[in-house]
Amino acid sequence: DIQMTQSPSTLSASVGDRVTITCRASQSISRWLAWYQQKPGKAPNLLIYKASSLESGVPSRFSGSGSGTEFTLTISSLQPDDFATYYCQQYNNYPYTFGQGTKLEIK
Amino acid sequence: EVQLVESGGGLVQPGGSLRLSCAASGFTFSKYWMHWVRQVPGKGLVWVSRVNSDGSDTTYADSVKGRFTISRDNAKNTLYLQLNSLRAEDTAVYYCGRGVGTSSFFDYWGQGTLATVSS
């Protein structure tokens, strides 16, 4: 199975900050990577697919980059609604696997 | 509007069974591959299973292979997950998700249904 490792596990930041979350795959997944946002008690919400494609309706402050084994999710200017947990997911091979999550907290 | 609504969760004893359902609306269900993903409360997301658009092909995570069965009824726009031989570690919120293409991420998710395995 492909292991997905996110860092950091927790990130404290302030409104207006630029933040970056990293996701590393245990083997190359080309660009078959998605990012999701999840708030407590809710289903995940798709933000980014194919490493850098922004899902329709997602604010442009979210961006993704990377290929192979290293990927990043960047939020250019944090808004109050962005404090949540973020997950990466590889869909290069079954079983699809997720990172362990990055909890973005208010500083 | 795309909607996925899960049901069928509940409390079951170890070794018991449950059948989860996911009712789909707002899109042509029969054209999409569908998936189940689970999440232990407070923990991360784990992909469980997928079924192709006509129900003829399925894939499972090793942790559920031989115990869980994914299926679909395209006439009823409904996805199913039959959970047998349940264990305490199967306790989780189960989400259905719509796949995009044949190898994919999930663009729509249901709200989830909680299955609790406990004596």
Side-chain angles (χ1 to χ4, degrees):
Chain A
D1 298 3
I2 297 175
Q3 307 302 314
M4 306 300 292
T5 304
Q6 288 181 233
S7 60
S9 295
T10 306
L11 180 56
S12 296
S14 302
V15 172
D17 284 353
R18 178 184 179 92
V19 298
T20 297
I21 299 168
T22 297
C23 178
R24 290 185 173 88
S26 60
Q27 65 188 72
S28 178
I29 58 170
S30 186
R31 292 176 58 82
W32 304 119
L33 185 101
W35 289 97
Y36 301 89
Q37 176 194 68
Q38 187 179 34
K39 296 182 178 178
K42 301 293 186 183
N45 182 51
L46 176 67
L47 301 174
I48 301 283
Y49 61 94
K50 207 173 180 183
S52 61
S53 296
L54 191 68
E55 172 69 353
S56 176
V58 174
S60 59
R61 63 181 180 272
F62 291 91
S63 64
S65 66
S67 66
T69 62
E70 187 150 339
F71 302 86
T72 59
L73 173 71
T74 298
I75 309 172
S76 60
S77 178
L78 273 174
Q79 299 302 301
D81 191 49
D82 300 338
F83 293 95
T85 300
Y86 293 84
Y87 293 94
C88 61
Q89 176 228 337
Q90 68 81 17
Y91 51 101
N92 185 69
N93 287 345
Y94 288 114
Y96 293 162
T97 46
F98 293 85
Q100 81 279 12
T102 295
K103 186 175 183 179
L104 182 52
E105 299 180 329
I106 300 174
K107 185 184 286 184
Chain B
E1 178 194 5
V2 172
Q3 282 200 317
L4 298 170
V5 179
E6 298 96 336
S7 60
L11 175 63
V12 62
Q13 292 188 339
S17 298
L18 279 176
R19 189 174 86 154
L20 309 182
S21 300
C22 169
S25 61
F27 66 102
T28 305
F29 180 69
S30 61
K31 291 188 176 181
Y32 288 83
W33 290 28
M34 297 295 295
H35 300 253
W36 289 97
V37 174
R38 68 184 181 183
Q39 184 173 38
V40 174
K43 302 297 185 182
L45 299 163
V46 177
W47 175 84
V48 172
S49 183
R50 68 91 183 166
V51 62
N52 69 345
S53 56
D54 67 5
S56 63
D57 190 53
T58 58
T59 307
Y60 298 92
D62 284 347
S63 59
V64 307
K65 201 174 296 182
R67 301 187 300 122
F68 291 9
T69 303
I70 191 172
S71 63
R72 63 192 297 160
D73 185 335
N74 285 344
K76 294 183 178 179
N77 290 338
T78 303
L79 173 73
Y80 301 102
L81 187 67
Q82 178 69 39
L83 290 62
N84 295 333
S85 303
L86 282 162
R87 306 167 181 166
E89 56 264 35
D90 296 318
T91 294
V93 174
Y94 286 76
Y95 295 101
C96 59
R98 189 178 84 165
V100 178
T102 59
S103 175
S104 79
F105 51 94
F106 317 117
D107 62 347
Y108 287 93
W109 298 63
Q111 85 288 352
T113 187
L114 176 63
T116 303
V117 185
S118 175
S119 55

